[in-house]
Each structure stands twice: as C-alpha cells, then as structure tokens.
Amino acid sequence: MTTTNPSVITDEMRAIVGVEGAPATLEVERTNCRMFARSVGHADPIFYDVDAAKAAGYRDIVASPGFLGTPIFNPNRPPAGPAEMSGRGYSIPYKRVLNGGTEYEYFPENDVICAGDTITVRGKIAGFEETTGSIGPMLITKRETTYTNQDGKVVAKMYGTTIQY
Amino acid sequence: MSQVFFEDVAEGLEIPELKKNCSTQQLVLWAAGSGDFYQIHYDKDFAQGTGLPGLIVHGALKHAFLGQLVHDWMGPKGELRKFGCSYRGMDYPNEDIRCRGVVTKKYTENGKNFVELDIWTENPAGKKTSPGTATVALPSKN
Amino acid sequence: MAEVFEVTDEVKAQYGVEGPPWTYEATTTSIRMYARGIGSVDPIHYDVDFAKSQGFRSIVAPLGYIGTPTFHPDTNDGTFGFPRRAGGGARLNLPTKGLLDGGTETEYLDYICAGDMLVETSSLADVRVRGNMVFVTNEAVYKNQESGKVVAKQRLTSIHIG
C-alpha cells in the first residue's frame, strides 16, 4: 500500500514564488579577489596582478569562478541567517536541510566581474517541488539570484537548490 | 597558459584533470576567502558533535575547484558561461579530490562556439561527490 | 650546548639595510574583516557614511591593521601571506623548529582608511639569542602611495626556536 504524503506547500508559500527580496550589496575589491583565488589555489595572474589583468583586456583583477563579491558586514544589524534558512516568514515541518547544488551563469557579453565593482544582488524563490526519495518525502526549493553591477548590467545569475526532508 | 580552440574539441574528450588534496590549512584559507566560518570545516570536536565523522571539505570549495578546472583548461580566450554542481557526497581533508571533466556537446549558436561538459569531483573510492555541468565559449582557429 | 644561532658581524652588517618595497592595501572589505576578527562593533570600522560624517575619507582601519600585503602565489608566503623578498633578515639562516610572534609596536602618524594603498619598506634592526630562541626584530615604515607621507612605523619581533 502506498501512502500519499500531504503537501507541505501552502498558499502562503505559493504567493512568494517569483517575489524579489530586498536587494543587498556586494563589494568586489582587489584584496578579496586575491584571497578567494588564493584559497582555491588559482595560479592565473589575472586573478592577482592588476597589470596582468589589464594586459589580458580586463578593467582590473578578475573575480575568479564562483566569486561574486563580499556582502557588506555590519555587526550592528541583525543577521539575516535564520530567516533565510526557514524561508521568508513561512515554516515547513521538515527539520533537515541539504544543499542540492549551485549553478552560476555568467554574462561576459554584458561585463566581467572585476575588482572595483559594486554588485547589487536580488534573490527570489523560483519554485517549490515535492518528491519522495530514499530519505522520505522532500521539499525542493529552487532559488534564483541575479547579480547586477554598478552600470546596471547583469553579470551573473545563481541558481540554487535546497532540499528539506 | 595555452589556448584550446573549438576545432580541438570533440565529444568524449576528457580535459586535463586537476588534483586537489585539502590540508586543514586550505579549509581555513577558504573560510577567509569565502566568508563561510561554519565550524564543521575547522573544529573537529564541533564537527563530531553534529554527527559527522570529522572535518569535511566545504561544498562551495569543491564548486570553486571545478571552476578552476574549467578556467585552466579553456585558456585566456575561453569564456566561462555556466558552471555548477550538486553535492552528493562528502570529501575529507588530506584525501585526494580529483576534479575531472568530459566534453558532452559542441555547437555554434549566434556566431559563438559553445562546448558543454560534464564536470565532477571524485573521491579516492571513485565516487563522484560533486557532479555538475559547465558551458564555455571557445575561440575558433578561423 | 652550541648556540642555535650566532649574531656574526655579517648579520650585524644587515642592520638598517632596507629591502625592496611592497604594496599593502586597505579596502572596505579587508577593514571590516579585521574589525570582525577583533570583535569590534564600532561603526567607524564598518559604515562608510558614518565614518564620513565623523570627518574621515572612508571607514577607518582598526588599530593594528596596516593593510594586507598584495598577494601573488609566486611571490608571497602561502601560510603567512607576507612577500618572500630579500632584506629584513630574510637571508638569515634562522632555526625553523618553531616560530612565535614576539610582539609588535606601532607608531601612527596618520589614520589609515579604506582605499589607501601603502608602500612598506623594512629592515633588520636587531638579533638576539637566548637559549634556543632567536629574537629577530624588524623595523617597517609604511608610506601612503599617493601622498608619499609616512603613516605608520612598526617594530616587529619574531621568535625563531631551534
């Protein structure tokens, strides 16, 4: 006998699909570009050396793959963590969370992220899906985040998948 | 760095492997580089307290390794369009992480030469711990 | 017991000899990270608008932070981040069993704010041996790259254990 699990997706959750959250600002600077590249183990000088980056046709040191800037940290502002983890004001009955994967899309025809850039990031929930796997019933949340530079050009999009079960 | 051209590439081509082996020091470097200071990546007692066997390598670091794999292969005139992976297994410090990729498709669209790849990290048991895909645009010899 | 290191005339001849310069950068993200590292909540280190309202060019580097040495994997130490370069006692054949920070004294002549690029030069100032420990003191001078003005002077002592 199979049992159908009741859906955990509520009208409240459906209503927020596609709704953009408050924008945040990310800073791309030479020091954090270098630190990111160093921590991955990159050897390409375009990630470290301004002259090498310019000689290769870039405005400044290039942000290496996966680096989209550092959020502006302020200890006097409440952290955004827990609210983001549980969603935006909705709660679901599952306790465990898995990162289902991350995909970045770049738009080099618009611009390449370089040191000196200020990136505005806007995120939204792209959709919810429910499925049952070996670990039981799961809620899959798809998020889409858009990264726009100081010239209003979309330089990257991030597609994230969160699995709760 | 040498340049790979669209004409050099065929479906099934395996790109040069990038081998990684994370010391705990590299995990701390990544914490600083990424801003992710979750203790399961540098505090063994904390990690074990959450039920893990020990420290684990950050998923996002493996994602960035795959970015390096593709960047180093595609050469200075290659354009990274898309790359991503999902996390299917844990990797541990001081164990080899083989970053690998295979060309799955090549096509020309709007005058650009695109190559799609399957990319993944592989643990010492041969399990693909972070399978994903990438799309790059490559220059043509013509 | 043989000394772990001998302060020869050759070593003393290096006192005061300036090594090649290196660039240090203070940026908004690096200043915030340092402030976070010491647990400061003062908005002068985090909030650009607030810092400007207090008369500064941008957020102010916390005491102790004189920028991050520009990093390149071919030229900088993978562990400490410092440039591997001649001068400043770099050529001394020091014991390598252990390494400890023996202290830092900083004299400030100006504020360091985000956006500043500093040029640092250093020289070996003193070497002393006590038991199995070698105390190596370097003196560093940091100048603002744009104005050429000296903004800080440091005496840094490292303890090399043999």
PDB file of all heavy atoms in Angstrom, chain A residues 27 29-32 34 38 42-43 45 48-49 70 72-76, chain C residues 25 27-29 32 36 40-41 46 68 70-73 77-79 81 117:
ATOM      1  N   GLU A  27      30.606  43.773  -2.399  1.00  0.00           N
ATOM      2  CA  GLU A  27      31.773  44.531  -2.867  1.00  0.00           C
ATOM      3  C   GLU A  27      32.823  43.598  -3.457  1.00  0.00           C
ATOM      4  O   GLU A  27      33.117  42.552  -2.882  1.00  0.00           O
ATOM      5  CB  GLU A  27      32.399  45.295  -1.698  1.00  0.00           C
ATOM      6  CG  GLU A  27      31.539  46.457  -1.256  1.00  0.00           C
ATOM      7  CD  GLU A  27      32.132  47.186  -0.069  1.00  0.00           C
ATOM      8  OE1 GLU A  27      32.928  46.584   0.676  1.00  0.00           O
ATOM      9  OE2 GLU A  27      31.794  48.354   0.114  1.00  0.00           O
ATOM     10  N   GLU A  29      36.656  43.726  -4.436  1.00  0.00           N
ATOM     11  CA  GLU A  29      37.870  44.524  -4.293  1.00  0.00           C
ATOM     12  C   GLU A  29      39.075  43.646  -4.560  1.00  0.00           C
ATOM     13  O   GLU A  29      38.969  42.423  -4.560  1.00  0.00           O
ATOM     14  CB  GLU A  29      37.953  45.096  -2.871  1.00  0.00           C
ATOM     15  CG  GLU A  29      36.881  46.143  -2.635  1.00  0.00           C
ATOM     16  CD  GLU A  29      36.936  46.692  -1.235  1.00  0.00           C
ATOM     17  OE1 GLU A  29      37.280  45.932  -0.321  1.00  0.00           O
ATOM     18  OE2 GLU A  29      36.646  47.874  -1.068  1.00  0.00           O
ATOM     19  N   ARG A  30      40.212  44.316  -4.772  1.00  0.00           N
ATOM     20  CA  ARG A  30      41.411  43.539  -5.106  1.00  0.00           C
ATOM     21  C   ARG A  30      41.753  42.541  -4.003  1.00  0.00           C
ATOM     22  O   ARG A  30      42.094  41.388  -4.284  1.00  0.00           O
ATOM     23  CB  ARG A  30      42.591  44.481  -5.331  1.00  0.00           C
ATOM     24  CG  ARG A  30      42.435  45.266  -6.618  1.00  0.00           C
ATOM     25  CD  ARG A  30      43.547  46.273  -6.782  1.00  0.00           C
ATOM     26  NE  ARG A  30      43.306  47.092  -7.973  1.00  0.00           N
ATOM     27  CZ  ARG A  30      44.001  48.169  -8.272  1.00  0.00           C
ATOM     28  NH1 ARG A  30      44.989  48.558  -7.472  1.00  0.00           N
ATOM     29  NH2 ARG A  30      43.726  48.846  -9.351  1.00  0.00           N
ATOM     30  N   THR A  31      41.664  42.978  -2.751  1.00  0.00           N
ATOM     31  CA  THR A  31      42.092  42.102  -1.652  1.00  0.00           C
ATOM     32  C   THR A  31      41.215  40.853  -1.561  1.00  0.00           C
ATOM     33  O   THR A  31      41.718  39.752  -1.374  1.00  0.00           O
ATOM     34  CB  THR A  31      42.054  42.860  -0.318  1.00  0.00           C
ATOM     35  OG1 THR A  31      42.583  44.157  -0.518  1.00  0.00           O
ATOM     36  CG2 THR A  31      42.873  42.167   0.738  1.00  0.00           C
ATOM     37  N   ASN A  32      39.894  41.020  -1.682  1.00  0.00           N
ATOM     38  CA  ASN A  32      39.049  39.823  -1.562  1.00  0.00           C
ATOM     39  C   ASN A  32      39.076  38.978  -2.825  1.00  0.00           C
ATOM     40  O   ASN A  32      38.945  37.753  -2.746  1.00  0.00           O
ATOM     41  CB  ASN A  32      37.626  40.147  -1.071  1.00  0.00           C
ATOM     42  CG  ASN A  32      36.913  41.219  -1.858  1.00  0.00           C
ATOM     43  OD1 ASN A  32      37.434  41.765  -2.814  1.00  0.00           O
ATOM     44  ND2 ASN A  32      35.697  41.531  -1.463  1.00  0.00           N
ATOM     45  N   ARG A  34      41.820  38.483  -4.536  1.00  0.00           N
ATOM     46  CA  ARG A  34      43.056  37.703  -4.365  1.00  0.00           C
ATOM     47  C   ARG A  34      42.870  36.608  -3.318  1.00  0.00           C
ATOM     48  O   ARG A  34      43.343  35.480  -3.486  1.00  0.00           O
ATOM     49  CB  ARG A  34      44.216  38.606  -3.936  1.00  0.00           C
ATOM     50  CG  ARG A  34      44.715  39.523  -5.016  1.00  0.00           C
ATOM     51  CD  ARG A  34      46.090  40.070  -4.652  1.00  0.00           C
ATOM     52  NE  ARG A  34      46.373  41.260  -5.428  1.00  0.00           N
ATOM     53  CZ  ARG A  34      46.151  42.502  -5.010  1.00  0.00           C
ATOM     54  NH1 ARG A  34      45.672  42.715  -3.801  1.00  0.00           N
ATOM     55  NH2 ARG A  34      46.431  43.520  -5.782  1.00  0.00           N
ATOM     56  N   ARG A  38      43.392  32.747  -3.971  1.00  0.00           N
ATOM     57  CA  ARG A  38      44.422  32.081  -3.172  1.00  0.00           C
ATOM     58  C   ARG A  38      43.850  30.868  -2.458  1.00  0.00           C
ATOM     59  O   ARG A  38      44.472  29.809  -2.374  1.00  0.00           O
ATOM     60  CB  ARG A  38      44.953  33.100  -2.156  1.00  0.00           C
ATOM     61  CG  ARG A  38      45.980  32.576  -1.190  1.00  0.00           C
ATOM     62  CD  ARG A  38      46.308  33.669  -0.173  1.00  0.00           C
ATOM     63  NE  ARG A  38      47.133  33.158   0.906  1.00  0.00           N
ATOM     64  CZ  ARG A  38      47.381  33.806   2.032  1.00  0.00           C
ATOM     65  NH1 ARG A  38      46.866  35.010   2.240  1.00  0.00           N
ATOM     66  NH2 ARG A  38      48.125  33.272   2.963  1.00  0.00           N
ATOM     67  N   HIS A  42      44.243  29.042  -7.312  1.00  0.00           N
ATOM     68  CA  HIS A  42      44.441  29.516  -8.683  1.00  0.00           C
ATOM     69  C   HIS A  42      45.871  30.004  -8.888  1.00  0.00           C
ATOM     70  O   HIS A  42      46.470  30.587  -7.975  1.00  0.00           O
ATOM     71  CB  HIS A  42      43.501  30.696  -8.972  1.00  0.00           C
ATOM     72  CG  HIS A  42      42.135  30.263  -9.395  1.00  0.00           C
ATOM     73  ND1 HIS A  42      41.890  29.707 -10.616  1.00  0.00           N
ATOM     74  CD2 HIS A  42      40.951  30.298  -8.747  1.00  0.00           C
ATOM     75  CE1 HIS A  42      40.594  29.427 -10.710  1.00  0.00           C
ATOM     76  NE2 HIS A  42      40.004  29.773  -9.577  1.00  0.00           N
ATOM     77  N   ALA A  43      46.386  29.801 -10.118  1.00  0.00           N
ATOM     78  CA  ALA A  43      47.729  30.282 -10.454  1.00  0.00           C
ATOM     79  C   ALA A  43      47.684  31.384 -11.513  1.00  0.00           C
ATOM     80  O   ALA A  43      48.672  32.073 -11.729  1.00  0.00           O
ATOM     81  CB  ALA A  43      48.584  29.122 -10.963  1.00  0.00           C
ATOM     82  N   PRO A  45      47.660  34.700 -13.255  1.00  0.00           N
ATOM     83  CA  PRO A  45      47.920  36.054 -12.725  1.00  0.00           C
ATOM     84  C   PRO A  45      46.769  37.048 -12.904  1.00  0.00           C
ATOM     85  O   PRO A  45      46.742  38.062 -12.208  1.00  0.00           O
ATOM     86  CB  PRO A  45      49.172  36.510 -13.482  1.00  0.00           C
ATOM     87  CG  PRO A  45      49.336  35.573 -14.622  1.00  0.00           C
ATOM     88  CD  PRO A  45      48.672  34.288 -14.241  1.00  0.00           C
ATOM     89  N   TYR A  48      45.330  37.986  -9.679  1.00  0.00           N
ATOM     90  CA  TYR A  48      46.181  38.561  -8.627  1.00  0.00           C
ATOM     91  C   TYR A  48      46.802  39.898  -9.007  1.00  0.00           C
ATOM     92  O   TYR A  48      47.013  40.757  -8.167  1.00  0.00           O
ATOM     93  CB  TYR A  48      47.339  37.599  -8.298  1.00  0.00           C
ATOM     94  CG  TYR A  48      46.904  36.250  -7.776  1.00  0.00           C
ATOM     95  CD1 TYR A  48      46.832  35.144  -8.612  1.00  0.00           C
ATOM     96  CD2 TYR A  48      46.567  36.091  -6.436  1.00  0.00           C
ATOM     97  CE1 TYR A  48      46.432  33.904  -8.128  1.00  0.00           C
ATOM     98  CE2 TYR A  48      46.166  34.858  -5.946  1.00  0.00           C
ATOM     99  CZ  TYR A  48      46.103  33.763  -6.796  1.00  0.00           C
ATOM    100  OH  TYR A  48      45.709  32.551  -6.315  1.00  0.00           O
ATOM    101  N   ASP A  49      47.159  40.027 -10.292  1.00  0.00           N
ATOM    102  CA  ASP A  49      48.061  41.096 -10.720  1.00  0.00           C
ATOM    103  C   ASP A  49      47.308  42.060 -11.648  1.00  0.00           C
ATOM    104  O   ASP A  49      46.860  41.671 -12.729  1.00  0.00           O
ATOM    105  CB  ASP A  49      49.236  40.416 -11.444  1.00  0.00           C
ATOM    106  CG  ASP A  49      50.302  41.394 -11.892  1.00  0.00           C
ATOM    107  OD1 ASP A  49      50.005  42.586 -12.072  1.00  0.00           O
ATOM    108  OD2 ASP A  49      51.447  40.946 -12.088  1.00  0.00           O
ATOM    109  N   THR A  70      31.765  40.260  -1.776  1.00  0.00           N
ATOM    110  CA  THR A  70      31.613  40.038  -0.342  1.00  0.00           C
ATOM    111  C   THR A  70      30.473  40.908   0.173  1.00  0.00           C
ATOM    112  O   THR A  70      30.461  42.110  -0.082  1.00  0.00           O
ATOM    113  CB  THR A  70      32.919  40.433   0.388  1.00  0.00           C
ATOM    114  OG1 THR A  70      34.003  39.693  -0.187  1.00  0.00           O
ATOM    115  CG2 THR A  70      32.854  40.155   1.876  1.00  0.00           C
ATOM    116  N   ILE A  72      28.471  43.332   2.508  1.00  0.00           N
ATOM    117  CA  ILE A  72      28.936  44.353   3.447  1.00  0.00           C
ATOM    118  C   ILE A  72      28.526  43.928   4.851  1.00  0.00           C
ATOM    119  O   ILE A  72      27.335  43.797   5.135  1.00  0.00           O
ATOM    120  CB  ILE A  72      28.349  45.729   3.082  1.00  0.00           C
ATOM    121  CG1 ILE A  72      28.903  46.161   1.722  1.00  0.00           C
ATOM    122  CG2 ILE A  72      28.652  46.767   4.161  1.00  0.00           C
ATOM    123  CD1 ILE A  72      28.322  47.451   1.199  1.00  0.00           C
ATOM    124  N   PHE A  73      29.511  43.703   5.700  1.00  0.00           N
ATOM    125  CA  PHE A  73      29.233  43.191   7.036  1.00  0.00           C
ATOM    126  C   PHE A  73      29.020  44.340   8.001  1.00  0.00           C
ATOM    127  O   PHE A  73      29.765  45.314   7.990  1.00  0.00           O
ATOM    128  CB  PHE A  73      30.406  42.321   7.522  1.00  0.00           C
ATOM    129  CG  PHE A  73      30.141  41.645   8.833  1.00  0.00           C
ATOM    130  CD1 PHE A  73      29.489  40.418   8.865  1.00  0.00           C
ATOM    131  CD2 PHE A  73      30.510  42.239  10.036  1.00  0.00           C
ATOM    132  CE1 PHE A  73      29.222  39.788  10.074  1.00  0.00           C
ATOM    133  CE2 PHE A  73      30.246  41.624  11.252  1.00  0.00           C
ATOM    134  CZ  PHE A  73      29.605  40.404  11.261  1.00  0.00           C
ATOM    135  N   ASN A  74      27.981  44.212   8.809  1.00  0.00           N
ATOM    136  CA  ASN A  74      27.719  45.218   9.833  1.00  0.00           C
ATOM    137  C   ASN A  74      27.230  44.511  11.098  1.00  0.00           C
ATOM    138  O   ASN A  74      26.149  43.943  11.099  1.00  0.00           O
ATOM    139  CB  ASN A  74      26.665  46.214   9.336  1.00  0.00           C
ATOM    140  CG  ASN A  74      26.476  47.364  10.300  1.00  0.00           C
ATOM    141  OD1 ASN A  74      26.802  47.266  11.489  1.00  0.00           O
ATOM    142  ND2 ASN A  74      25.941  48.469   9.803  1.00  0.00           N
ATOM    143  N   PRO A  75      28.062  44.530  12.167  1.00  0.00           N
ATOM    144  CA  PRO A  75      27.686  43.791  13.382  1.00  0.00           C
ATOM    145  C   PRO A  75      26.487  44.408  14.092  1.00  0.00           C
ATOM    146  O   PRO A  75      25.884  43.773  14.959  1.00  0.00           O
ATOM    147  CB  PRO A  75      28.944  43.897  14.257  1.00  0.00           C
ATOM    148  CG  PRO A  75      29.604  45.149  13.806  1.00  0.00           C
ATOM    149  CD  PRO A  75      29.303  45.285  12.343  1.00  0.00           C
ATOM    150  N   ASN A  76      26.156  45.639  13.721  1.00  0.00           N
ATOM    151  CA  ASN A  76      25.064  46.335  14.415  1.00  0.00           C
ATOM    152  C   ASN A  76      23.719  46.146  13.717  1.00  0.00           C
ATOM    153  O   ASN A  76      22.737  46.762  14.082  1.00  0.00           O
ATOM    154  CB  ASN A  76      25.403  47.825  14.531  1.00  0.00           C
ATOM    155  CG  ASN A  76      26.739  48.025  15.218  1.00  0.00           C
ATOM    156  OD1 ASN A  76      26.966  47.474  16.296  1.00  0.00           O
ATOM    157  ND2 ASN A  76      27.648  48.735  14.581  1.00  0.00           N
TER     158      ASN A  76
ATOM    159  N   GLU C  25      47.393  46.977   0.927  1.00  0.00           N
ATOM    160  CA  GLU C  25      46.110  47.605   0.604  1.00  0.00           C
ATOM    161  C   GLU C  25      45.165  47.557   1.791  1.00  0.00           C
ATOM    162  O   GLU C  25      45.042  46.532   2.448  1.00  0.00           O
ATOM    163  CB  GLU C  25      45.419  46.842  -0.541  1.00  0.00           C
ATOM    164  CG  GLU C  25      46.047  47.060  -1.884  1.00  0.00           C
ATOM    165  CD  GLU C  25      45.450  46.129  -2.932  1.00  0.00           C
ATOM    166  OE1 GLU C  25      44.647  45.246  -2.570  1.00  0.00           O
ATOM    167  OE2 GLU C  25      45.796  46.286  -4.098  1.00  0.00           O
ATOM    168  N   THR C  27      41.187  48.003   2.239  1.00  0.00           N
ATOM    169  CA  THR C  27      39.943  48.154   1.485  1.00  0.00           C
ATOM    170  C   THR C  27      38.773  48.080   2.474  1.00  0.00           C
ATOM    171  O   THR C  27      38.966  47.698   3.634  1.00  0.00           O
ATOM    172  CB  THR C  27      39.781  47.048   0.426  1.00  0.00           C
ATOM    173  OG1 THR C  27      39.630  45.796   1.092  1.00  0.00           O
ATOM    174  CG2 THR C  27      40.970  46.989  -0.517  1.00  0.00           C
ATOM    175  N   THR C  28      37.578  48.425   1.998  1.00  0.00           N
ATOM    176  CA  THR C  28      36.422  48.360   2.915  1.00  0.00           C
ATOM    177  C   THR C  28      36.217  46.929   3.419  1.00  0.00           C
ATOM    178  O   THR C  28      35.968  46.717   4.602  1.00  0.00           O
ATOM    179  CB  THR C  28      35.140  48.867   2.225  1.00  0.00           C
ATOM    180  OG1 THR C  28      35.040  48.289   0.935  1.00  0.00           O
ATOM    181  CG2 THR C  28      35.127  50.375   2.094  1.00  0.00           C
ATOM    182  N   THR C  29      36.342  45.945   2.502  1.00  0.00           N
ATOM    183  CA  THR C  29      36.103  44.564   2.952  1.00  0.00           C
ATOM    184  C   THR C  29      37.205  44.085   3.893  1.00  0.00           C
ATOM    185  O   THR C  29      36.931  43.376   4.859  1.00  0.00           O
ATOM    186  CB  THR C  29      35.984  43.596   1.752  1.00  0.00           C
ATOM    187  OG1 THR C  29      36.968  43.911   0.801  1.00  0.00           O
ATOM    188  CG2 THR C  29      34.622  43.692   1.119  1.00  0.00           C
ATOM    189  N   ARG C  32      36.683  45.711   7.346  1.00  0.00           N
ATOM    190  CA  ARG C  32      35.555  45.097   8.062  1.00  0.00           C
ATOM    191  C   ARG C  32      35.930  43.722   8.600  1.00  0.00           C
ATOM    192  O   ARG C  32      35.570  43.360   9.705  1.00  0.00           O
ATOM    193  CB  ARG C  32      34.342  44.968   7.142  1.00  0.00           C
ATOM    194  CG  ARG C  32      33.684  46.292   6.827  1.00  0.00           C
ATOM    195  CD  ARG C  32      32.294  46.091   6.240  1.00  0.00           C
ATOM    196  NE  ARG C  32      31.838  47.335   5.643  1.00  0.00           N
ATOM    197  CZ  ARG C  32      31.919  47.611   4.348  1.00  0.00           C
ATOM    198  NH1 ARG C  32      32.391  46.722   3.491  1.00  0.00           N
ATOM    199  NH2 ARG C  32      31.510  48.773   3.900  1.00  0.00           N
ATOM    200  N   ARG C  36      35.930  42.626  12.437  1.00  0.00           N
ATOM    201  CA  ARG C  36      35.166  41.445  12.857  1.00  0.00           C
ATOM    202  C   ARG C  36      36.065  40.484  13.621  1.00  0.00           C
ATOM    203  O   ARG C  36      35.659  39.883  14.606  1.00  0.00           O
ATOM    204  CB  ARG C  36      34.682  40.731  11.602  1.00  0.00           C
ATOM    205  CG  ARG C  36      33.220  40.609  11.478  1.00  0.00           C
ATOM    206  CD  ARG C  36      32.933  39.898  10.167  1.00  0.00           C
ATOM    207  NE  ARG C  36      32.308  38.615  10.428  1.00  0.00           N
ATOM    208  CZ  ARG C  36      31.915  37.789   9.475  1.00  0.00           C
ATOM    209  NH1 ARG C  36      32.109  38.089   8.203  1.00  0.00           N
ATOM    210  NH2 ARG C  36      31.325  36.661   9.775  1.00  0.00           N
ATOM    211  N   SER C  40      35.226  44.039  17.186  1.00  0.00           N
ATOM    212  CA  SER C  40      34.780  45.426  17.345  1.00  0.00           C
ATOM    213  C   SER C  40      33.386  45.615  16.738  1.00  0.00           C
ATOM    214  O   SER C  40      33.050  44.986  15.741  1.00  0.00           O
ATOM    215  CB  SER C  40      35.756  46.359  16.632  1.00  0.00           C
ATOM    216  OG  SER C  40      35.201  47.659  16.549  1.00  0.00           O
ATOM    217  N   VAL C  41      32.582  46.469  17.388  1.00  0.00           N
ATOM    218  CA  VAL C  41      31.282  46.810  16.813  1.00  0.00           C
ATOM    219  C   VAL C  41      31.193  48.298  16.466  1.00  0.00           C
ATOM    220  O   VAL C  41      30.146  48.793  16.078  1.00  0.00           O
ATOM    221  CB  VAL C  41      30.099  46.423  17.752  1.00  0.00           C
ATOM    222  CG1 VAL C  41      30.023  44.913  17.922  1.00  0.00           C
ATOM    223  CG2 VAL C  41      30.211  47.118  19.107  1.00  0.00           C
ATOM    224  N   TYR C  46      32.956  49.994  10.003  1.00  0.00           N
ATOM    225  CA  TYR C  46      32.036  49.236   9.150  1.00  0.00           C
ATOM    226  C   TYR C  46      31.224  50.096   8.178  1.00  0.00           C
ATOM    227  O   TYR C  46      30.927  49.671   7.075  1.00  0.00           O
ATOM    228  CB  TYR C  46      31.031  48.456  10.025  1.00  0.00           C
ATOM    229  CG  TYR C  46      31.654  47.394  10.885  1.00  0.00           C
ATOM    230  CD1 TYR C  46      31.965  47.636  12.228  1.00  0.00           C
ATOM    231  CD2 TYR C  46      31.943  46.135  10.358  1.00  0.00           C
ATOM    232  CE1 TYR C  46      32.540  46.655  13.023  1.00  0.00           C
ATOM    233  CE2 TYR C  46      32.509  45.151  11.146  1.00  0.00           C
ATOM    234  CZ  TYR C  46      32.810  45.412  12.480  1.00  0.00           C
ATOM    235  OH  TYR C  46      33.380  44.441  13.261  1.00  0.00           O
ATOM    236  N   THR C  68      46.661  44.837   3.973  1.00  0.00           N
ATOM    237  CA  THR C  68      47.001  43.453   3.649  1.00  0.00           C
ATOM    238  C   THR C  68      48.041  43.476   2.536  1.00  0.00           C
ATOM    239  O   THR C  68      47.854  44.175   1.538  1.00  0.00           O
ATOM    240  CB  THR C  68      45.733  42.725   3.140  1.00  0.00           C
ATOM    241  OG1 THR C  68      44.755  42.757   4.177  1.00  0.00           O
ATOM    242  CG2 THR C  68      46.023  41.287   2.753  1.00  0.00           C
ATOM    243  N   THR C  70      49.734  42.816  -0.771  1.00  0.00           N
ATOM    244  CA  THR C  70      49.170  42.291  -2.021  1.00  0.00           C
ATOM    245  C   THR C  70      49.749  40.899  -2.238  1.00  0.00           C
ATOM    246  O   THR C  70      50.950  40.675  -2.069  1.00  0.00           O
ATOM    247  CB  THR C  70      49.500  43.192  -3.225  1.00  0.00           C
ATOM    248  OG1 THR C  70      50.904  43.350  -3.285  1.00  0.00           O
ATOM    249  CG2 THR C  70      48.849  44.556  -3.086  1.00  0.00           C
ATOM    250  N   PHE C  71      48.849  39.981  -2.608  1.00  0.00           N
ATOM    251  CA  PHE C  71      49.232  38.574  -2.656  1.00  0.00           C
ATOM    252  C   PHE C  71      49.338  38.071  -4.084  1.00  0.00           C
ATOM    253  O   PHE C  71      48.482  38.343  -4.929  1.00  0.00           O
ATOM    254  CB  PHE C  71      48.187  37.726  -1.921  1.00  0.00           C
ATOM    255  CG  PHE C  71      48.581  36.274  -1.790  1.00  0.00           C
ATOM    256  CD1 PHE C  71      49.320  35.843  -0.696  1.00  0.00           C
ATOM    257  CD2 PHE C  71      48.249  35.367  -2.776  1.00  0.00           C
ATOM    258  CE1 PHE C  71      49.714  34.515  -0.585  1.00  0.00           C
ATOM    259  CE2 PHE C  71      48.643  34.024  -2.683  1.00  0.00           C
ATOM    260  CZ  PHE C  71      49.369  33.608  -1.584  1.00  0.00           C
ATOM    261  N   HIS C  72      50.395  37.334  -4.346  1.00  0.00           N
ATOM    262  CA  HIS C  72      50.513  36.576  -5.583  1.00  0.00           C
ATOM    263  C   HIS C  72      51.181  35.256  -5.198  1.00  0.00           C
ATOM    264  O   HIS C  72      52.166  35.268  -4.457  1.00  0.00           O
ATOM    265  CB  HIS C  72      51.359  37.347  -6.600  1.00  0.00           C
ATOM    266  CG  HIS C  72      51.330  36.723  -7.967  1.00  0.00           C
ATOM    267  ND1 HIS C  72      51.901  35.497  -8.233  1.00  0.00           N
ATOM    268  CD2 HIS C  72      50.773  37.128  -9.123  1.00  0.00           C
ATOM    269  CE1 HIS C  72      51.693  35.192  -9.506  1.00  0.00           C
ATOM    270  NE2 HIS C  72      51.005  36.166 -10.066  1.00  0.00           N
ATOM    271  N   PRO C  73      50.645  34.127  -5.675  1.00  0.00           N
ATOM    272  CA  PRO C  73      51.187  32.839  -5.217  1.00  0.00           C
ATOM    273  C   PRO C  73      52.667  32.643  -5.539  1.00  0.00           C
ATOM    274  O   PRO C  73      53.342  31.859  -4.870  1.00  0.00           O
ATOM    275  CB  PRO C  73      50.325  31.790  -5.932  1.00  0.00           C
ATOM    276  CG  PRO C  73      49.555  32.522  -6.978  1.00  0.00           C
ATOM    277  CD  PRO C  73      49.489  33.950  -6.558  1.00  0.00           C
ATOM    278  N   ASP C  77      54.251  34.250   0.789  1.00  0.00           N
ATOM    279  CA  ASP C  77      54.253  33.034   1.597  1.00  0.00           C
ATOM    280  C   ASP C  77      52.819  32.504   1.722  1.00  0.00           C
ATOM    281  O   ASP C  77      51.917  33.245   2.104  1.00  0.00           O
ATOM    282  CB  ASP C  77      54.824  33.370   2.978  1.00  0.00           C
ATOM    283  CG  ASP C  77      54.958  32.141   3.845  1.00  0.00           C
ATOM    284  OD1 ASP C  77      53.963  31.749   4.483  1.00  0.00           O
ATOM    285  OD2 ASP C  77      56.051  31.556   3.865  1.00  0.00           O
ATOM    286  N   GLY C  78      52.632  31.235   1.402  1.00  0.00           N
ATOM    287  CA  GLY C  78      51.297  30.638   1.406  1.00  0.00           C
ATOM    288  C   GLY C  78      50.675  30.576   2.786  1.00  0.00           C
ATOM    289  O   GLY C  78      49.450  30.548   2.920  1.00  0.00           O
ATOM    290  N   THR C  79      51.494  30.534   3.825  1.00  0.00           N
ATOM    291  CA  THR C  79      50.961  30.467   5.190  1.00  0.00           C
ATOM    292  C   THR C  79      50.731  31.856   5.763  1.00  0.00           C
ATOM    293  O   THR C  79      49.642  32.157   6.247  1.00  0.00           O
ATOM    294  CB  THR C  79      51.921  29.675   6.096  1.00  0.00           C
ATOM    295  OG1 THR C  79      51.943  28.321   5.639  1.00  0.00           O
ATOM    296  CG2 THR C  79      51.460  29.700   7.554  1.00  0.00           C
ATOM    297  N   GLY C  81      51.226  34.907   4.197  1.00  0.00           N
ATOM    298  CA  GLY C  81      50.752  35.916   3.259  1.00  0.00           C
ATOM    299  C   GLY C  81      51.783  36.998   2.949  1.00  0.00           C
ATOM    300  O   GLY C  81      51.611  37.766   2.014  1.00  0.00           O
ATOM    301  N   MET C 117      46.415  52.905  -0.380  1.00  0.00           N
ATOM    302  CA  MET C 117      47.463  51.984  -0.818  1.00  0.00           C
ATOM    303  C   MET C 117      48.718  52.456  -0.103  1.00  0.00           C
ATOM    304  O   MET C 117      49.061  53.643  -0.149  1.00  0.00           O
ATOM    305  CB  MET C 117      47.691  52.107  -2.317  1.00  0.00           C
ATOM    306  CG  MET C 117      46.528  51.670  -3.162  1.00  0.00           C
ATOM    307  SD  MET C 117      46.633  49.920  -3.508  1.00  0.00           S
ATOM    308  CE  MET C 117      47.800  49.934  -4.844  1.00  0.00           C
TER     309      MET C 117
END
